[in-house]
Amino acid sequence: MKRSGLVFGVMVVGIALLLWAGWHNLRERRLAMQQAQENHVVLVPEKAGSAAQTDSQSPEAEAMQMRGKVAPGFTLTTLDGKKVSLSDYKGRPVLVNFWATWCGPCKVEMPWFEEFRKQYAAQGFEILGLADDVDAGKDAIAKVAQKTGVTYPILLTDGKIQKAYGGPDGMDYLPMSFYVDKNGVIVEETAGLGSKDEIEAHIKKIVASGATAAAGGQ
């Protein structure tokens, strides 16, 4: 009886260990999937009903429509009612970033933007954060801006600006970033969340390329 009880106890422990290992592996896989999703592009709400994107339809491949073109001008309103135009920053490198309050990856990169804004302030670098979901309300938009610690201008989109930069259907992905050099030309265009190093590399490019082009034109 003692031996059979011992065998039974060992079996119970073995089964328990197998169950724990299976649960642990499942938890690890879920965490990995969640991390991958957070680092992936995010579809805007109005596109949620469209066909799912395949691996061959990468946002990087689709997000090159504006590169090399002059950045479309705009005049939008800040959260406190002040009008801001892209032309106000003529001769300066500017990052035009489309984001939304519901967009997780947007909130990841916004503190990075603020850090780089301070780091490259001496070169005249500025960031304009264009809130895509104006219907969320100014309070909700301001709350996200405050929580992420950004102090650069947050502008309220008007529906037209999304089409000017994203095409007839507006923005397909968020976040969307357009790196504009000192000559007003879009040097880089990105869809979705990139790495911090990639973002800084793009910023360095617009800080340098506009200056080079300007020097060559003198």
Side-chain angles (χ1 to χ4, degrees):
M1 285 293 292
K2 288 184 179 180
R3 181 177 298 177
S4 61
L6 179 62
V7 171
F8 179 75
V10 170
M11 289 177 63
V12 170
V13 171
I15 292 172
L17 286 172
L18 286 173
L19 289 174
W20 179 87
W23 175 85
H24 181 72
N25 288 336
L26 178 61
R27 182 172 178 270
E28 290 295 321
R29 286 198 299 271
R30 285 179 176 174
L31 286 173
M33 289 177 64
Q34 183 178 356
Q35 271 189 331
Q37 289 174 347
E38 287 178 352
N39 290 330
H40 202 262
V41 296
V42 181
L43 294 176
V44 295
E46 52 265 36
K47 298 294 178 185
S50 60
Q53 298 292 319
T54 63
D55 290 341
S56 61
Q57 293 173 307
S58 66
E60 291 81 2
E62 296 180 5
M64 298 300 120
Q65 301 174 2
M66 299 296 291
R67 181 188 288 178
K69 297 181 180 179
V70 174
F74 56 80
T75 299
L76 299 172
T77 306
T78 64
L79 291 171
D80 56 5
K82 178 184 177 182
K83 288 188 178 298
V84 173
S85 300
L86 181 60
S87 59
D88 296 340
Y89 302 91
K90 185 177 181 180
R92 295 173 59 182
V94 179
L95 168 54
V96 178
N97 172 251
F98 289 83
W99 67 283
T101 58
W102 53 264
C103 172
C106 299
K107 299 172 188 176
V108 172
E109 67 181 6
M110 288 169 76
W112 298 345
F113 289 159
E114 180 66 22
E115 179 183 334
F116 291 136
R117 183 194 186 215
K118 295 175 181 176
Q119 185 175 337
Y120 294 95
Q123 287 91 336
F125 175 62
E126 183 57 286
I127 301 169
L128 299 177
L130 278 58
D132 186 75
D133 58 339
V134 177
D135 55 349
K138 291 183 179 180
D139 289 343
I141 295 172
K143 185 177 180 180
V144 172
Q146 183 179 13
K147 189 173 182 180
T148 53
V150 301
T151 59
Y152 54 79
I154 298 296
L155 309 181
L156 305 175
T157 54
D158 56 5
K160 298 177 182 178
I161 188 62
Q162 288 95 323
K163 293 181 180 180
Y165 279 81
D169 297 326
M171 293 293 154
D172 287 329
Y173 304 96
L174 286 180
M176 283 286 292
S177 294
F178 300 85
Y179 296 80
V180 184
D181 70 11
K182 296 179 181 180
N183 298 316
V185 176
I186 296 174
V187 175
E188 289 291 345
E189 175 182 1
T190 62
L193 176 65
S195 70
K196 189 175 182 180
D197 289 341
E198 289 172 341
I199 291 172
E200 184 174 18
H202 294 327
I203 292 173
K204 287 181 177 179
K205 185 178 288 188
I206 62 173
V207 167
S209 70
T212 301
Q218 289 179 352

